Amino acid sequence: MKLRTKYFGTVEADAREAVVFSQGIPGFPDETAFLFLPLAEDSPFFIMQSVKTPALAFVTADPFVFFPDYEFKLNDATIEQLELESEKDVAVYVILTVKEPFSESTANLVAPVVVNTRKKIGKQVVLEGTPYRVAHRLVNEQEAVQRKGDSHARPDAKNE
């Protein structure tokens, strides 16, 4: 299928890859199908693109790249709704708030997007009683200070 997107223009996409959110996502109850489009090859960043509304897309990331100790438990109702049978079938994304400079960007760790990758079922889960916040910086404080001092730093810059 041809899909109009917010960030990539029109792309060719496989409709079978669309993840179904039966109850939509918080704030968007009528948006029930999204594709996760990689920002670049081997990137931890993805665009969660609405299949129905081209202007609706969220920048997301694999949280474990930035927060290796990130963990939470899904309740039984969520496991049942996502039809999860194995941990191997789970993908987790967090929605980002991208800022300039990039070192100020944050991730919402309170409401991860959990996807059953085998059955293409998703849900944004709002965690309760968690130590996480809706705005965790992707770049730690020390690294952010170093980046501010380096006007040529880019989010994808590598130390050589």
Side-chain angles (χ1 to χ4, degrees), residues 91-113:
V92 177
Y93 303 91
V94 290
I95 295 179
L96 305 183
T97 300
V98 179
K99 299 179 182 176
E100 276 294 326
F102 184 78
S103 61
E104 299 293 321
S105 297
T106 60
N108 180 346
L109 299 185
V110 173
V113 176

Side-chain angles (χ1 to χ4, degrees), residues 43-63:
S43 171
F45 301 104
F46 296 83
I47 303 301
M48 183 176 148
Q49 175 65 56
S50 166
V51 171
K52 179 170 124 179
T53 308
L56 182 63
F58 301 93
V59 179
T60 67
D62 173 346

Side-chain angles (χ1 to χ4, degrees), residues 6-160:
K6 180 174 181 175
Y7 297 107
F8 301 118
T10 300
V11 298
E12 190 64 38
D14 185 344
R16 295 172 298 190
E17 292 300 312
V19 176
V20 174
F21 292 74
S22 63
Q23 299 170 348
I25 59 173
F28 301 92
D30 295 332
E31 296 290 341
T32 57
F34 288 86
L35 281 169
F36 287 83
L37 306 172
L39 196 57
E41 191 174 328
D42 295 327
S43 171
F45 301 104
F46 296 83
I47 303 301
M48 183 176 148
Q49 175 65 56
S50 166
V51 171
K52 179 170 124 179
T53 308
L56 182 63
F58 301 93
V59 179
T60 67
D62 173 346
F64 306 107
V65 170
F66 301 96
F67 309 98
D69 297 329
Y70 182 56
E71 63 179 35
F72 58 89
K73 292 218 182 282
L74 296 175
N75 63 35
D76 291 341
T78 300
I79 291 170
E80 188 175 311
Q81 183 181 5
L82 291 172
E83 300 179 25
L84 292 171
E85 298 169 11
S86 168
E87 259 185 54
K88 291 183 269 185
D89 296 335
V90 177
V92 177
Y93 303 91
V94 290
I95 295 179
L96 305 183
T97 300
V98 179
K99 299 179 182 176
E100 276 294 326
F102 184 78
S103 61
E104 299 293 321
S105 297
T106 60
N108 180 346
L109 299 185
V110 173
V113 176
V114 181
V115 175
N116 178 330
T117 57
R118 192 168 48 84
K119 295 194 175 185
K120 302 296 183 207
I121 302 169
K123 178 177 180 159
Q124 187 173 14
V125 179
V126 178
L127 304 176
E128 295 181 16
T130 177
Y132 301 118
R133 301 181 313 273
V134 295
H136 283 267
R137 285 176 61 172
L138 288 179
V139 178
N140 70 37
E141 298 296 326
Q142 184 178 2
E143 191 176 336
V145 169
Q146 289 172 345
R147 286 181 187 256
K148 281 183 181 179
D150 179 5
S151 61
H152 301 292
R154 299 182 320 273
D156 61 342
K158 293 184 174 114
N159 295 334
E160 299 183 300

